[in-house]
């Protein structure tokens, strides 16, 4: 254990109890709905298996992944839970869905045809969710497709609908006009389709738009991992990740020296630079060059110069020298600098930061048993 920590160039600490707490908090906001857990993209980069096991212990029995392979990998970790695959069924994958007890989210008339055909071939009904497009124009049945199904119910033969769902485009903006429009559109389309199944509209942000949006099942992802679902309000959720990078070298610098590729930062006075053993190959985006921050001993330290593949450079002139030495850790994500803060500096969103977290970090999981 100590050797692994000694060797580690970056340490990613993941708090499974905080993730379970966030699930409970989100569930409590929609007390009349089932709370599922979205663990696509390897649990937003934090590990789908440990995250799903922790959520299962907290009481979550429905999981969403994006791809069939994600579903197959997840299956043994949550043996008694439902796993829905958002991308739906692709030609040739029917047997994989059945073999691993995965439920496709059917997004198009073609997917409905495939699944219905597969059910007919097997001689037994097969569960599926049906996805309506209420305004994103991305995935899901449009009005024409819904009319087609409403006019000819046999197209759904063999399909046992377990969920009718849609997804929101602007839910992180509380007053966006599209929110109410999509809610109305979803209701019209779902009524028109006329299958009796639980309904679901809400991902993390949508949960905070009010009870009208909750329906029978909520599908939070981002909020589980501590991303603020309503960026204009204080974050009601706990941080789940800490990322520490290790200092490889500290150097004294003076004007007119520069640092890094492109000599993009020039020192105006005497100072100290710490070089950290993490870079863009670890998910610290190049856009953080001369813009990002770390934290050492409670002091915010700016990134100076460009981000390299395996290294970043921080101006640590303001930090007490005792905190700055080879082997010391710098907080890159943590209580003093959360994932949304790092995302803002990088010009992106917390989702992209988490799902880009590198594979070279030592992953340190805690909790997950309650
Ligand atoms: C990713 C996704 C979610 C989860 O969204 P968050 O904003 O991360 O909570 C829910 N539903 C669908 C269809 C998704 O694609």
């Amino acid at each position: 254990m100590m050797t692994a920590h000694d060797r580690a160039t970056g340490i990613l600490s993941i708090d499974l109890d905080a993730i379970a707490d966030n699930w409970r908090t989100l569930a409590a906001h929609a007390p009349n709905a089932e709370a599922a857990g979205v663990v696509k993209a390897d649990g937003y980069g934090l590990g789908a298996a440990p995250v799903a096991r922790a959520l299962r212990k907290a009481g979550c029995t429905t999981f969403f992944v994006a791809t069939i392979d994600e579903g197959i990998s997840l299956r043994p970790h949550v043996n008694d839970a439902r796993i829905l695959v958002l991308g739906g069924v692709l030609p040739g994958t029917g047997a994989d869905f059945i073999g691993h007890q995965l439920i496709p989210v059917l997004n198009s008339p073609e997917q409905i045809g495939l699944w219905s055909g597969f059910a007919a071939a097997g001689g037994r009904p097969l569960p599926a969710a049906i996805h309506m497009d209420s305004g994103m124009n991305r995935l899901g049945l449009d009005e024409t497709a819904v009319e087609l199904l409403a006019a000819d119910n046999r197209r759904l033969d063999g399909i046992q609908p377990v969920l009718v769902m849609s997804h929101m485009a602007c839910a992180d903006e509380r007053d966006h006009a599209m929110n109410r429009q999509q809610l109305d559109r979803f209701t019209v389309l779902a009524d028109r389709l006329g299958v009796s199944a639980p309904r679901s509209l809400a991902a993390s942000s949508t949960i905070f738009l009010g009870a009208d949006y909750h329906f029978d099942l909520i599908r939070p992802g981002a909020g589980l991992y501590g991303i603020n679902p309503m960026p204009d309000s204080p974050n009601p959720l706990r941080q789940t990740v800490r990322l520490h990078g290790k200092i490889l070298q500290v150097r004294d610098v003076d004007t007119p020296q520069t640092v890094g590729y492109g000599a993009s930062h020039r020192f105006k006075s005497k100072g100290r630079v710490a070089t950290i053993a993490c870079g863009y190959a670890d998910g610290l985006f190049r856009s953080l060059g001369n813009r990002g921050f770390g934290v050492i001993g409670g002091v915010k330290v700016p990134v100076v110069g460009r981000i390299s593949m395996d290294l970043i450079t921080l101006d640590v002139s303001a930090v007490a020298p005792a905190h700055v030495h080879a082997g010391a850790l710098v907080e890159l994500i943590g209580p003093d600098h959360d994932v949304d803060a790092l995302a803002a500096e990088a010009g992106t969103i917390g989702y992209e930061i988490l799902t880009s977290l590198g594979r070279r970090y030592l992953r340190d999981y805690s909790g997950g048993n309650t």
Side-chain angles (χ1 to χ4, degrees), residues 153-165:
N153 257 322
R154 283 169 310 169
R155 289 175 189 268
L156 288 167
D157 276 355
I159 296 176
Q160 176 189 62
V162 297
L163 197 66
V164 175
M165 58 177 271

Side-chain angles (χ1 to χ4, degrees), residues 38 40 44 86 131 138 165 167 203-205 219-223 351:
V38 179
K40 62 194 181 188
Y44 289 47
L86 289 165
H131 189 185
R138 198 178 62 168
M165 58 177 271
H167 194 54
S204 301
S205 300
R219 316 183 303 268
Y351 295 69

Side-chain angles (χ1 to χ4, degrees), residues 172 205 222-223 226-237 239 339-340 351:
D172 58 342
S205 300
I227 291 169
N228 189 355
M230 282 294 173
D232 294 334
S233 307
N235 192 346
L237 302 165
Q239 288 306 302
V339 62
D340 291 316
Y351 295 69

